[in-house]
Amino acid sequence: MADYKMIEELTLNNWQPLQTMLYDGWLLRFAGGYTKRANSVNPILYSTADVNVKIKECERLYTYKELSTVFKITPFVHPNNLDELLGDKGYALIERTSVQILSLDRVKQPTLTTVVLDETLTSEWLDTYCRLNNVELHKHTMHQMLSNIVTKKCFISLYHQQEVIACGLAVIEREWLGLFDIVTAVNYRKRGFGEQLILNLLQWGRDHGAKSSHLAVVLTNQAALNLYAKIGYHEIYRYWYRVKQ
């Protein structure tokens, strides 16, 4: 599991919150409520203090920030019975998610290359993403979060008939290419555009030294699961969230 734990580290680095706090091996992340990944407790390091005391303190801190208390449960949590303990305390289990990887040595080339690749965040990309994903209210927070990523990144926009119909983000760290924020306009889904967007990102990753790719997909998103399987991704572990009722 050592290498897989590194993937968890990469996802934390590649999706930056606005604030972090390290509490006895638990990483607390805050980002104004935009995405659970950036607004949750990540208990992946050591844990020495009384776990019940720690949970109560986390609840106090997230309440102070006017956020729900959310724990991300991976195979690497400390202590290893944390998920069961949170369940006993009434925390609901939501959003089971598959973490998947892909070797980039045999990925096919894209056939549609009407894309724009930017290695810095632009207002055009951010506007498009917020419009396609209906998150305009979080635009300012997203700008801050994406600007906080310190490793090499690529913001892609895919055009069809002079209109941006899909966009996404890729981040390279330690020869791994992480995919985030992949979205296609509703009227253009199931027509191969999402696959072409990803293949262009994978090609960019290879060109910039990446040898493998990782991503996370919610298990209820069957269309995305089918797409990633078609490209060649396979699951290495799952995680979910525990949310205080």
Side-chain angles (χ1 to χ4, degrees):
M1 278 291 192
D3 289 341
Y4 296 165
K5 185 174 182 180
M6 183 194 71
I7 300 298
E8 194 63 25
E9 293 178 4
L10 297 180
T11 62
L12 291 172
N13 291 341
N14 298 166
W15 189 255
Q16 284 288 322
L18 303 184
Q19 294 176 298
T20 62
M21 175 180 172
L22 192 60
Y23 174 30
D24 187 49
W26 290 3
L27 184 63
L28 282 61
R29 292 156 56 91
F30 307 93
Y34 180 64
T35 75
K36 294 179 182 65
R37 283 181 293 175
N39 293 272
S40 54
V41 182
N42 292 258
I44 65 170
L45 301 176
Y46 59 86
S47 182
T48 60
D50 182 280
V51 66
N52 293 294
V53 173
K54 291 176 68 173
I55 292 171
K56 285 187 177 180
E57 179 62 9
C58 290
E59 291 173 352
R60 185 190 69 81
L61 290 167
Y62 280 86
T63 298
Y64 174 74
K65 300 290 287 185
E66 299 182 343
L67 297 170
S68 299
T69 306
V70 180
F71 285 79
K72 185 180 180 184
I73 305 298
T74 70
F76 323 109
V77 296
H78 290 279
N80 57 18
N81 67 335
L82 180 61
D83 183 53
E84 180 181 353
L85 181 58
L86 291 170
D88 291 342
K89 290 179 178 292
Y91 277 72
L93 189 159
I94 64 170
E95 292 186 18
R96 292 185 184 273
T97 300
S98 173
V99 176
Q100 304 191 358
I101 61 173
L102 169 73
S103 173
L104 298 185
D105 55 357
R106 295 183 179 178
V107 176
K108 64 182 180 181
Q109 297 290 317
T111 58
L112 180 62
T113 57
T114 53
V115 298
V116 172
L117 304 170
D118 290 300
E119 295 188 7
T120 57
L121 177 63
T122 67
S123 59
E124 290 81 8
W125 185 93
L126 186 58
D127 288 345
T128 298
Y129 176 81
C130 290
R131 174 175 56 83
L132 294 181
N133 219 28
N134 295 314
V135 291
E136 286 86 354
L137 292 176
H138 298 285
K139 185 181 295 186
H140 178 68
T141 299
M142 272 200 72
H143 185 276
Q144 290 178 282
M145 291 171 61
L146 296 174
S147 299
N148 285 346
I149 300 171
V150 298
T151 51
K152 194 171 189 66
K153 50 191 177 288
C154 177
F155 300 90
I156 185 172
S157 300
L158 185 144
Y159 284 78
H160 176 66
Q161 297 179 348
Q162 300 184 329
E163 177 187 3
V164 180
I165 62 166
C167 64
L169 164 66
V171 184
I172 296 177
E173 183 184 350
R174 302 179 227 177
E175 298 184 336
W176 281 88
L177 179 78
L179 299 189
F180 303 88
D181 284 354
I182 306 298
V183 60
T184 302
V186 174
N187 294 339
Y188 292 93
R189 293 175 185 173
K190 298 183 179 181
R191 293 172 56 180
F193 292 112
E195 179 183 9
Q196 291 301 311
L197 179 91
I198 293 169
L199 291 178
N200 275 280
L201 279 177
L202 298 181
Q203 178 176 274
W204 174 87
R206 284 198 305 266
D207 292 344
H208 289 82
K211 296 181 179 179
S212 304
S213 175
H214 66 89
L215 55 80
V217 55
V218 178
L219 289 173
T220 54
N221 189 346
Q222 192 59 52
L225 288 168
N226 293 342
L227 171 58
Y228 298 138
K230 179 181 179 183
I231 293 172
Y233 283 88
H234 67 275
E235 181 178 292
I236 54 172
Y237 65 90
R238 294 182 179 184
Y239 70 82
W240 53 88
Y241 295 99
R242 285 285 187 177
V243 181
K244 184 174 175 61
Q245 297 280 39

